[in-house]
Amino acid sequence: MKKKKILLLDVDEVIVFSGFLPLINEFLHTNYKIDDFKDYYIDEAAIPKEKFEEFKAFKKGKSLYKNAEPLPHAIETIKKLNEVYDIYLCSDCIDPFDIEYSGEVFKDKFYLLRKILPFIPPKKFIFTGSKHLFKADIQIDDRLSNLNENSKIKILFPSYHNKDITEKELQEKNILRAGYNWQEGWLETEKILLTRKK
């Protein structure tokens, strides 16, 4: 049997949006949408500095992933990819603004992945921010800094915070872009990895 190629797949902003935005809206009594932001850390962008400690206390005991919904076409496309590729989920769980809260993030993300991707065994969950340590045939991530030279094919998944990255910058780093619209990102990813595979 031919060995499957390894696909290293990010979670946040690629498979799901976490519950940060609903918590921010609840805390601030606002109605922000994800595309209202250009910065990756939406809590840092939205929460006034003088209210940040209050927000940290507010979110304690609240799950970021309990009601997280997969992005459009994510699950069905990952199922198809899983037939062809050896998928490993590689995701950071550290909240740089609230290290102590990060333990809850690990737990909640683990249970979410078990729920929405039951066909990927937990031994293929990699929880780390040091993605440069891993080697893969294909890597999909929404952050340019996470796409490393150890991966043969690198795909930037479209998100609210990476629309301004130029084609020239991607070409210089030999990175493919799965479109510009996160709502269609998985359809574009399927074209790149399945439709054009042969």
Side-chain angles (χ1 to χ4, degrees):
M1 181 183 286
K2 188 178 178 182
K3 188 177 178 181
K4 291 181 178 179
K5 291 183 177 180
I6 293 173
L7 194 166
L8 200 61
L9 180 56
D10 185 30
V11 175
D12 295 297
E13 285 75 54
V14 174
I15 300 176
V16 299
F17 285 130
S18 75
F20 254 121
L21 187 56
L23 284 181
I24 288 168
N25 280 330
E26 184 182 348
F27 177 71
L28 294 176
H29 307 291
T30 49
N31 191 31
Y32 286 124
K33 303 289 188 290
I34 198 69
D35 287 315
D36 291 335
F37 297 91
K38 286 192 174 182
D39 297 321
Y40 180 78
Y41 294 110
I42 59 175
D43 47 345
E44 186 181 36
I47 306 290
K49 288 182 180 178
E50 65 273 14
K51 288 192 172 186
F52 214 83
E53 289 303 313
E54 186 183 343
F55 177 66
K56 283 168 66 174
F58 169 80
K59 73 179 196 279
K60 287 204 184 310
K62 295 183 167 116
S63 172
L64 286 182
Y65 295 96
K66 184 177 180 181
N67 299 311
E69 291 290 329
L71 270 63
H73 313 289
I75 304 305
E76 55 266 40
T77 305
I78 294 170
K79 278 183 181 176
K80 292 178 188 176
L81 291 171
N82 194 50
E83 295 296 315
V84 180
Y85 298 101
D86 190 10
I87 298 177
Y88 288 81
L89 304 176
C90 190
S91 182
D92 197 355
C93 292
I94 301 297
D95 181 344
F97 306 110
D98 192 353
I99 298 297
E100 294 306 314
Y101 183 66
S102 299
E104 294 297 315
V105 176
F106 273 91
K107 180 186 73 173
D108 294 341
K109 189 178 289 189
F110 173 83
Y111 286 121
L112 172 77
L113 295 175
R114 292 287 289 140
K115 177 184 173 183
I116 67 172
L117 299 170
F119 50 89
I120 297 182
K123 68 180 181 180
K124 293 186 175 183
F125 298 175
I126 304 168
F127 294 121
T128 181
S130 301
K131 299 183 182 183
H132 65 282
L133 297 175
F134 298 91
K135 183 177 182 180
D137 295 291
I138 302 156
Q139 184 184 6
I140 301 173
D141 208 291
D142 63 302
R143 298 189 76 183
L144 202 59
S145 59
N146 286 335
L147 293 166
N148 64 70
E149 292 304 315
N150 294 327
S151 301
K152 295 175 186 174
I153 297 173
K154 300 176 283 292
I155 299 172
L156 181 70
F157 195 89
S159 196
Y160 62 93
H161 61 86
N162 65 22
K163 294 176 182 177
D164 293 338
I165 296 172
T166 66
E167 290 303 318
K168 182 180 178 184
E169 188 174 359
L170 294 180
Q171 286 173 5
E172 287 172 352
K173 296 183 178 182
N174 197 27
I175 295 172
L176 302 173
R177 187 198 295 269
Y180 287 86
N181 184 347
W182 58 265
Q183 296 186 53
E184 298 175 359
W186 278 107
L187 296 177
E188 293 298 321
T189 300
E190 182 175 347
K191 288 178 187 175
I192 294 169
L193 293 181
L194 294 177
T195 309
R196 302 178 194 167
K197 184 175 182 289
K198 297 176 182 178

